[in-house]
């Protein structure tokens, strides 16, 4: 067995096969209907005999007669090779041959090997004694190659033919009886018994036919003169020469022999050899001398002048296009380039004709010597591309066929892979090689390979062929997404805009396609144990992080977020990174005064200073805090609009209030100071507190002054009542005005008269020295209000003025529970529940 790939029949079984398949033309006509059934029985019989044999050779062989009909079934090759008919398609069963593929095919449905084109033995093998069609049957998964040989048996399908059909002989009348005249051979492409077997001529009184057996066992017809000729009696003799083959039925061919009787030329030309044998290299240049023929004639004069020529035969017509003969010298030379791969030898007939018309014939056998003039050929029979990068070593990549048209050592080919690569080349049979993986592949390092295969023959000089095979490597998900670093830090100012992007994080994956598509997600690793999703979101495709809400530094100073990058491969792979978000403090908290408390419920806050207090005595200390941090929480303390010189001073850093000089009897003993605490942020925020300072040695000295304060409070309460009544009247007047304007617009086409903007002086003016008992308004000092009332509700204007730290005390208004106007619609009445509270300073 040849590497276990082929099965063949023993010599005895091949003889039986030829006995069963060697059909003549007549037998094929009579047994046409039984061909398929007979062939199947014969193959079964042959394999039954094969199972009984212990030794087999390396080939599977069939035998058929030439000229079978189209679609003629030779045998079930799938069963004969022991293959499963259900697997032939998946295993890519096919036949590989440069010649046999034209004539033969396999039905993959039932496994029959059938004829698809006319098989003419004479065209395939000419007159060779044996004729074979060979091919390789190839299957994959696993790879097996079976060598199959089909013997083409000759049938008698050709009749003998003479070239030319009419030929003329000139015979001098003095030719003695018994002279042999050589005639033209008949040609029959068939071989063996189907070739020319005998000759005969028509009845005549002058000539008889003799069959001369040559050294190669071929027969040459000769005319033998029986009695002397007389040109004067009969100058032309016409005979019918018939050639018969030995086939069944018998086939014949005829030629007309015209014999012209001439005057005496009684000696025939004679070649020095009956058969000339010569060898010439296939690389011989054109016009190279092959051989010089020599023939002699014992006659004299023109009868001894010999002219050489190539005999007119069907094959010689082909040879005449390759070789030429000098008619005078007999030198045979080449007319075109020779090619051993096309024709290994030539056999042609030559003749020498003297001046009297006598002809002698000889054969020239020309053998072509093979030279190493053909480089090996590399063809790809099977290629798997792309191949996965996780393919195990030993995976089949490609099956290549190497062929060299030269013979002998010139046709012996060695095949190798050029350069270092993770692949290996293994010989599968005499002509096939397998390319397999020799080590692990990594697409991220090498995404594709250009495999270079070189085939070199053993001739001299050596010839080689290079074949490039491109192999793509397909990706598998074997790489984790990677962040540039494990921890990222971001800074986000507080009071940010919700929904805005705050950071972008990226991961990369060395894979490609879906395996490199990354999906981002976030999770909580914060120590405060609350979900991070209400605070942040991430774009799963781009990795852009968004804030879900506005952050307050005073509540959350930083976040620790776990960001996971997960690819889309199977199985998916992921990696994590930590993002630390620091919230940057903004100056969004005003200072809060803890002492003196601003939430005293309306009770006046006062401090008493002894009359004899020395300069620099500590009166009290203002304590304030700021929820911000850093520079935003640095506080400074200031008096707002104090008399000059002021009897008191305040430390900007500590808030301590001290006396600035000694008190005298003429000094004012009651002081009301406004203390402003502001931070160091930008813009700066502030808070104020009002403090009453009394100068006296005893508390009893302050009682009358306190009574005066209570009287002032009662007066303030009365003024508030008046203010409410005034605002109510103004609102009623405003509503009546609106109603009149609407009625006027509905009844009159002319535009209504203009109403001037109400004078803001309609509001009662308060004493700027009057301070409220409460300080819990929505806006703190030093905000002021500017209210303008227009006739049209769409033209109302309510504006805030920016804080001004240098607001004059004369313009400060401190009012408690001042009712405003709540205008929900032009038809609603003013009610006490709609009055808004304003704190004005």
């Amino acid at each position: 067995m040849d590497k276990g790939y082929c099965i063949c029949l023993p010599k005895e079984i091949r003889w039986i096969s030829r006995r069963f398949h060697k059909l003549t033309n007549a037998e094929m006509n009579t047994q046409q209907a039984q061909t398929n059934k007979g062939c199947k029985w014969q193959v079964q019989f042959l394999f039954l005999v094969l199972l009984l044999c212990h030794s087999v050779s390396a080939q599977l062989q069939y035998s058929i007669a030439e000229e079978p009909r189209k679609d003629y079934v030779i045998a079930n090759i799938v069963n004969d090779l022991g293959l499963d008919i259900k697997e032939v398609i998946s295993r890519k069963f096919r036949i590989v041959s440069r010649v046999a593929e034209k004539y033969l095919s396999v039905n993959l449905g039932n496994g029959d090997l059938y004829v698809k084109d006319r098989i003419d033995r004479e065209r395939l093998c000419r007159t060779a004694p044996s004729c074979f069609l060979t091919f390789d049957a190839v299957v994959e998964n696993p790879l097996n190659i079976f060598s199959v040989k089909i013997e083409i048996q000759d049938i008698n399908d050709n009749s003998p033919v003479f070239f030319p059909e009419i030929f003329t002989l000139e015979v001098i009348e003095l030719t003695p009886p018994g002279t042999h005249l050589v005639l033209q051979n008949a040609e029959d492409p068939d071989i063996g018994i189907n070739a020319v077997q005998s000759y005969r001529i028509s009845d005549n009184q002058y000539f008889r036919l003799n069959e001369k057996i040559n050294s190669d066992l071929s027969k040459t017809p000769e005319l033998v003169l029986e009695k002397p000729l007389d040109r004067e009696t009969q100058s032309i003799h016409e005979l019918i020469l018939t050639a018969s083959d030995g086939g069944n039925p018998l086939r014949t061919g005829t030629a007309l022999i015209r014999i012209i009787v001439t005057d005496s030329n009684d000696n025939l030309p004679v070649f020095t050899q009956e058969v000339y044998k010569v060898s010439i290299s296939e690389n011989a240049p054109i016009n190279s001398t092959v051989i010089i023929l020599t023939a002699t004639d014992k006659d004299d004069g023109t009868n001894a002048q010999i002219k050489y020529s190539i005999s007119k035969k069907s094959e010689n017509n082909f040879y005449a296009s390759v070789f030429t003969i000098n008619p005078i010298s007999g030198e045979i030379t080449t007319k075109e380039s020779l090619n051993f791969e096309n024709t290994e030898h030539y056999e042609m007939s030559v003749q020498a004709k003297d001046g009297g018309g006598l002809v002698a014939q000889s054969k020239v056998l020309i053998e072509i010597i093979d030279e190493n003039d053909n480089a090996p050929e590399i063809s790809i029979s099977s290629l798997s591309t792309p191949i996965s990068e996780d393919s195990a070593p030993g995976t089949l990549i490609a099956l290549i066929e190497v062929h060299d048209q030269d013979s002998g050592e010139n046709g012996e080919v060695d095949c190798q892979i050029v350069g270092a690569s993770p692949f290996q080349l293994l010989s599968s049979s005499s002509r096939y090689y397998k390319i397999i993986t020799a080590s692990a592949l990594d697409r991220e390092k090498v995404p594709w390979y250009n495999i270079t295969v070189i085939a070199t023959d053993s001739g001299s000089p050596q010839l080689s062929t290079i074949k490039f095979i491109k192999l793509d490597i397909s990706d598998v998900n074997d790489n984790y997404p990677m962040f540039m670093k494990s921890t990222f830090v971001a800074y986000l100012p507080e009071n940010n805009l919700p929904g805005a992007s705050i950071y972008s994080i990226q991961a990369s994956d060395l894979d490609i396609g879906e395996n490199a598509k990354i999906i981002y997600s976030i999770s909580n690793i914060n120590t405060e144990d609350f979900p991070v999703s209400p605070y942040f979101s991430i774009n799963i495709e781009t990795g852009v992080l968004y804030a879900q809400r506005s952050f307050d530094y005073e509540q959350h100073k930083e976040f620790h977020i776990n960001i996971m990058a997960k690819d889309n491969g199977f199985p998916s792979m992921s990696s994590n990174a930590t993002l630390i978000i620091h919230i940057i403090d903004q100056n969004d908290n005003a200072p809060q005064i803890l002492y003196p408390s601003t939430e005293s419920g309306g009770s006046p806050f006062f401090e008493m200073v002894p009359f004899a207090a020395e300069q620099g005595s500590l009166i009290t200390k203002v304590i304030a805090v700021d929820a911000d941090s850093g520079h935003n929480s640095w506080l400074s303390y200031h008096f707002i609009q104090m008399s000059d010189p002021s009897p008191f001073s305040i430390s900007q850093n500590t808030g301590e209030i001290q006396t600035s000089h000694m008190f005298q009897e003429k000094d004012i003993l009651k002081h009301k100071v406004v203390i402003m605490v502001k931070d160091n942020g930008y813009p700066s925020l502030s808070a104020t507190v009002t403090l009453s300072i009394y100068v006296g040695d005893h508390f009893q000295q302050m009682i009358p002054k306190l009574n005066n304060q209570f009287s002032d409070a009662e007066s303030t309460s009365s003024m508030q009542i008046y203010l409410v009544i005034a605002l109510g009247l103004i609102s009623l007047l405003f509503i009546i005005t609106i109603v009149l304007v609407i009625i006027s617009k509905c009844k009159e086409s002319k535009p209504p008269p203009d109403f001037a903007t109400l004078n803001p002086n309609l509001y009662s003016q308060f004493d700027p020295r009057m301070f409220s008992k409460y300080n819990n308004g929505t806006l703190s000092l030093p905000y002021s209000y500017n209210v303008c009332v227009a006739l049209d509700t769409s033209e109302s204007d309510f504006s805030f003025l920016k804080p001004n730290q240098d607001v004059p005390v004369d313009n400060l208004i401190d009012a408690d529970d001042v009712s405003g106007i709540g205008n929900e619609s032009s038809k609603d009445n003013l009610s006490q529940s709609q009055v808004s509270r304003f704190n004005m300073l």
Side-chain angles (χ1 to χ4, degrees), residues 254-556:
T254 61
L256 175 63
I257 303 174
R258 176 173 294 173
I259 302 172
I260 299 175
V261 181
T262 62
D263 285 333
S264 60
N265 179 24
D266 54 353
N267 288 288
L268 297 174
V270 178
F271 282 99
T272 56
Q273 298 179 26
E274 290 186 356
V275 178
Y276 293 89
K277 294 182 179 181
V278 66
S279 299
I280 186 173
S281 172
E282 65 174 328
N283 291 339
I286 299 176
N287 294 327
S288 296
T289 300
V290 180
I291 192 174
I292 298 177
L293 304 179
T294 302
T296 59
D297 193 320
K298 295 181 179 180
D299 295 323
D300 294 329
T302 58
N303 293 330
Q305 295 179 358
I306 299 175
K307 290 186 178 181
Y308 301 92
S309 63
I310 297 175
S311 301
K312 295 182 179 180
K313 283 185 165 184
S314 59
E315 290 188 354
N316 286 349
N317 291 335
F318 167 71
Y319 299 149
S321 64
V322 181
F323 303 98
T324 183
I325 188 171
N326 189 307
I328 304 301
S329 63
E331 180 184 13
I332 298 178
T333 57
T334 58
K335 291 178 62 177
E336 60 182 33
S337 299
L338 305 177
N339 192 342
F340 174 84
E341 289 70 34
N342 292 338
T343 307
E344 298 181 6
H345 64 272
Y346 296 87
E347 180 181 342
M348 61 181 179
S349 298
V350 294
Q351 66 180 15
K353 184 177 181 180
D354 62 17
L358 298 181
V359 176
Q361 293 191 353
S362 181
K363 284 186 178 181
V364 179
L365 302 180
I366 303 175
E367 181 183 1
I368 307 302
I369 301 174
D370 183 37
E371 300 290 347
N372 192 29
D373 59 344
N374 290 280
E377 300 175 2
I378 302 176
S379 60
I380 301 175
S381 299
S382 177
L383 176 62
S384 299
T385 183
I387 184 173
S388 177
E389 63 175 324
D390 61 350
S391 300
T395 301
L396 178 65
I397 302 299
L399 175 67
I400 62 174
E401 179 188 3
V402 180
H403 176 73
D404 196 318
Q405 296 184 18
D406 295 322
S407 62
E409 290 186 355
N410 297 329
E412 295 178 0
V413 180
D414 178 58
C415 198
Q416 294 179 348
I417 293 179
V418 179
S421 67
F423 305 103
Q424 185 178 3
L425 191 67
L426 297 179
S427 176
S428 178
S429 65
S430 59
R431 294 188 295 117
Y432 289 92
Y433 290 85
K434 295 187 296 184
I435 299 178
I436 63 173
T437 57
S439 61
L441 306 176
D442 190 349
R443 189 208 62 81
E444 287 70 37
K445 293 182 179 178
V446 183
W448 58 273
Y449 290 90
N450 198 8
I451 304 174
T452 304
V453 179
I454 182 171
T456 306
D457 60 26
S458 300
S460 179
Q462 287 185 331
L463 299 178
S464 60
T465 298
I466 295 178
K467 184 76 172 181
F468 298 98
I469 302 175
K470 184 178 180 181
L471 178 66
D472 294 319
I473 308 300
S474 61
D475 184 50
V476 297
N477 193 27
D478 57 348
N479 288 278
Y480 290 90
M482 297 298 295
F483 291 97
M484 293 182 63
K485 50 187 177 180
S486 60
T487 302
F488 297 85
V489 179
Y491 296 90
L492 175 64
E494 65 173 336
N495 303 321
N496 58 292
L497 182 65
S501 63
I502 60 175
Y503 198 73
S504 177
I505 191 168
Q506 296 291 329
S508 60
D509 196 316
L510 295 178
D511 296 319
I512 60 174
E514 288 296 321
N515 296 330
K517 185 178 180 181
I518 298 177
I519 298 175
Y520 299 91
S521 62
I522 58 175
S523 60
N524 183 32
I525 59 172
N526 208 321
T527 58
E528 298 183 55
D529 193 24
F530 56 85
V532 75
S533 57
Y535 297 91
F536 302 97
S537 65
I538 192 169
N539 188 310
I540 63 174
E541 293 183 353
T542 63
V544 177
L545 193 69
Y546 298 90
Q548 295 289 87
R549 61 178 62 181
S550 180
F551 295 103
D552 188 353
Y553 174 82
E554 289 69 36
Q555 295 182 4
H556 302 288

Side-chain angles (χ1 to χ4, degrees), residues 96-104 116 124 132-135:
V96 179
S97 173
R98 288 177 172 79
V99 179
E101 288 179 348
K102 177 181 178 183
Y103 303 97
L104 304 174
K116 70 175 183 180
L124 287 174
F132 293 91
L133 278 177
T134 60
F135 62 88

Side-chain angles (χ1 to χ4, degrees), residues 60-320:
L60 177 63
Q61 180 171 320
Y62 299 103
S63 179
I64 62 171
E66 67 171 328
E67 302 287 350
R69 70 179 188 281
K70 188 177 181 181
D71 298 329
Y72 170 79
V73 177
I74 299 174
N76 192 303
I77 190 172
V78 174
N79 290 339
D80 294 346
L81 294 175
L83 302 176
D84 188 353
I85 187 63
K86 298 178 181 179
E87 298 178 353
V88 294
I89 296 179
S90 62
R91 294 186 64 185
K92 299 181 182 179
F93 180 87
R94 60 191 182 276
I95 62 175
V96 179
S97 173
R98 288 177 172 79
V99 179
E101 288 179 348
K102 177 181 178 183
Y103 303 97
L104 304 174
S105 184
V106 176
N107 187 333
L108 298 181
N110 55 23
D112 288 340
L113 177 66
Y114 64 95
V115 177
K116 70 175 183 180
D117 198 1
R118 176 174 176 263
I119 300 178
D120 187 353
R121 185 190 184 282
E122 288 72 28
R123 179 178 296 177
L124 287 174
C125 304
R126 297 184 180 273
T127 59
S130 59
C131 183
F132 293 91
L133 278 177
T134 60
F135 62 88
D136 293 327
V138 179
V139 292
E140 299 181 8
N141 300 321
L143 177 67
N144 284 315
I145 303 174
F146 305 91
S147 180
V148 181
K149 179 183 289 187
I150 298 179
E151 181 182 10
I152 309 301
Q153 296 183 351
D154 183 48
I155 63 173
N156 192 25
D157 58 342
N158 293 282
S159 299
V161 178
F162 289 94
F163 291 95
E165 295 182 350
I166 300 174
F167 49 90
T168 302
L169 297 178
E170 294 182 355
V171 182
I172 61 175
E173 61 180 348
L174 297 180
T175 301
T179 301
H180 291 241
L181 303 178
V182 180
L183 302 178
Q184 181 69 51
N185 288 12
E187 295 182 13
D188 192 340
D190 297 325
I191 63 171
I193 193 66
N194 296 324
V196 176
Q197 299 296 320
S198 62
Y199 297 89
R200 67 178 185 274
I201 61 171
S202 58
D203 294 335
N204 65 92
Q205 59 179 336
Y206 291 98
F207 300 93
R208 66 176 177 86
L209 186 65
N210 179 52
E211 293 180 343
K212 179 184 177 182
I213 299 177
N214 300 318
S215 59
D216 58 354
L217 301 182
S218 62
K219 295 181 179 180
T220 300
E222 294 179 340
L223 284 179
V224 181
L225 185 61
E226 288 284 287
K227 64 178 184 178
L229 300 174
D230 188 0
R231 190 187 65 83
E232 286 74 18
T233 302
Q234 185 178 357
S235 60
I236 296 176
H237 299 267
E238 292 185 348
L239 305 176
I240 301 299
L241 176 61
T242 302
S244 302
D245 60 21
N248 186 11
L250 185 71
R251 293 179 177 269
T252 61
T254 61
L256 175 63
I257 303 174
R258 176 173 294 173
I259 302 172
I260 299 175
V261 181
T262 62
D263 285 333
S264 60
N265 179 24
D266 54 353
N267 288 288
L268 297 174
V270 178
F271 282 99
T272 56
Q273 298 179 26
E274 290 186 356
V275 178
Y276 293 89
K277 294 182 179 181
V278 66
S279 299
I280 186 173
S281 172
E282 65 174 328
N283 291 339
I286 299 176
N287 294 327
S288 296
T289 300
V290 180
I291 192 174
I292 298 177
L293 304 179
T294 302
T296 59
D297 193 320
K298 295 181 179 180
D299 295 323
D300 294 329
T302 58
N303 293 330
Q305 295 179 358
I306 299 175
K307 290 186 178 181
Y308 301 92
S309 63
I310 297 175
S311 301
K312 295 182 179 180
K313 283 185 165 184
S314 59
E315 290 188 354
N316 286 349
N317 291 335
F318 167 71
Y319 299 149

